[in-house]
Amino acid sequence: MRFLSVKAARTAVQGFAVAALLVTPVLAQDADHPANEKLKVACDLGFAPFCFKTAAGETTGFTYDMSLALAQKLGRPGVDVTDSNFSAIFAGLFSKRYEMIPAPTNITPERAQQMLFSEPYMPTGLGFLVKKGGKIANLEDLKGKALTVNNGSISDKWLTDNEAKYGYTIQRYNKNADAVQAVMIGRAFANVADAPVSRYVSTQTPAAEVAFVLDSGRNFGIAFRKEDAAFRAKVEEALECIKTDGTLAKIHEKWFGVKPDASSSSAKIYPGVGAPDFEGYDATEHKAVCK
């Protein structure tokens, strides 16, 4: 029988240990993103037109349709949606209640320090929704007014940061639908939300209109855990494929009435992986292979 020397045995053990370290992250990724199970995503149900329930209780919306399209490209058998208030949605991601957040999430430097983002998929800004007849010529017109907002959203942060400057008061709600209703019944002057949401609500609510839009220069992106770079790359490839084949444009037209501008982030393919100019961006060139 042949025996290894102590040195050779030690080298072999070290080799096995290194191999185990290399395999473990792959196994963990597979466990977190099982290919034979539905894609687990989170959204704030009630945030029309992105994610909400029909009168029959079925989940629908732009986010849901986009997630279904991504799942199909990934070879996953459908989508499993977790309803989460936006104020708690990131905590659920970090605790692995779901695999990603496709719900409208502004890409910001602060968030990019805590999570990974896909390339942008929709431009946004802040929309100020009022009862018809309400006027907002500029931000100074907000002085003394009560404004409603979805708790924990980027709109909430903007209102909080600028409250002293412009002199309004803030009413926070766990659902944007409740924040809109507060305006409609006269409890507040305006609801502040992402501009695409405000525009959609105005088309569905005859008594409402968008009085003012603040261009933020921001975009929505899909959010992932920091350790999920490989999974993000797969989803980004799927996202680029649904941009390229026109699927995302069709979903956009379905929910917003128009196809996205060819130069917007809803149609543009970005170099590298992730959101350019933000932490977590990988500039490595790649070409999406679309099925």
Side-chain angles (χ1 to χ4, degrees), residues 115-131:
M115 62 199 82
L116 295 176
F117 279 100
S118 70
E119 68 175 45
Y121 70 79
M122 183 181 287
T124 186
L126 295 180
F128 291 74
L129 186 83
V130 299
K131 289 180 72 172

Side-chain angles (χ1 to χ4, degrees), residues 14-286:
Q14 290 172 341
F16 287 133
V18 171
L21 287 173
L22 292 173
V23 171
T24 298
V26 175
L27 293 176
Q29 289 264 326
D30 290 344
D32 291 340
H33 311 289
N36 61 338
E37 294 183 10
K38 290 183 177 181
L39 182 64
K40 293 182 174 64
V41 304
C43 69
D44 184 358
L45 283 173
F47 200 52
F50 286 95
C51 200
F52 62 102
K53 284 188 176 293
T54 66
E58 297 177 342
T59 301
T60 190
F62 177 92
T63 295
Y64 184 71
D65 286 351
M66 183 179 75
S67 298
L68 283 175
L70 292 173
Q72 184 178 37
K73 293 294 185 185
L74 292 167
R76 302 285 290 272
V79 172
D80 182 7
V81 177
T82 296
D83 178 21
S84 174
N85 292 336
F86 205 83
S87 57
I89 205 167
F90 300 126
L93 177 69
F94 301 147
S95 63
K96 298 187 177 183
R97 290 184 60 205
Y98 25 84
E99 299 173 64
M100 65 186 200
I101 303 172
T105 303
N106 280 262
I107 304 170
T108 68
E110 297 79 11
R111 287 173 176 171
Q113 291 177 357
Q114 304 175 56
M115 62 199 82
L116 295 176
F117 279 100
S118 70
E119 68 175 45
Y121 70 79
M122 183 181 287
T124 186
L126 295 180
F128 291 74
L129 186 83
V130 299
K131 289 180 72 172
K132 279 193 173 175
K135 303 295 182 182
I136 304 175
N138 51 54
L139 295 175
E140 284 70 23
D141 286 349
L142 301 176
K143 186 174 181 178
K145 303 288 198 303
L147 307 180
T148 70
V149 71
N150 192 11
N151 188 24
S153 65
I154 201 72
S155 306
D156 185 0
K157 185 179 187 309
W158 187 90
L159 287 178
T160 301
D161 291 346
N162 291 279
E163 184 175 12
K165 181 178 179 179
Y166 294 112
Y168 48 73
T169 58
I170 307 170
Q171 298 176 12
R172 295 178 175 85
Y173 294 82
N174 283 329
K175 294 291 183 183
N176 196 61
D178 295 333
V180 170
Q181 181 63 16
V183 173
M184 294 299 100
I185 63 176
R187 290 184 59 187
F189 174 69
N191 167 242
V192 184
D194 291 301
V197 174
S198 298
R199 292 190 182 105
Y200 175 81
V201 172
S202 70
T203 67
Q204 303 298 305
T205 311
E209 64 182 330
V210 179
F212 188 78
V213 174
L214 181 65
D215 182 9
S216 66
R218 289 187 172 133
N219 288 277
F220 294 145
I222 303 170
F224 305 85
R225 291 183 287 275
K226 275 282 192 179
E227 67 271 19
D228 266 352
F231 179 62
R232 175 186 66 168
K234 290 181 180 179
V235 175
E236 176 140 329
E237 182 175 50
L239 177 59
E240 291 177 351
C241 288
I242 66 173
K243 286 182 179 182
T244 301
D245 68 14
T247 299
L248 190 60
K250 290 178 181 177
I251 295 171
H252 190 284
E253 185 173 20
K254 172 183 175 180
W255 291 106
F256 298 104
V258 294
K259 289 185 177 179
D261 188 276
S263 64
S264 80
S265 57
S266 296
K268 180 180 177 181
I269 304 297
Y270 292 77
V273 180
D277 302 322
F278 288 89
E279 184 175 326
Y281 172 66
D282 180 356
T284 304
E285 289 292 339
H286 73 281

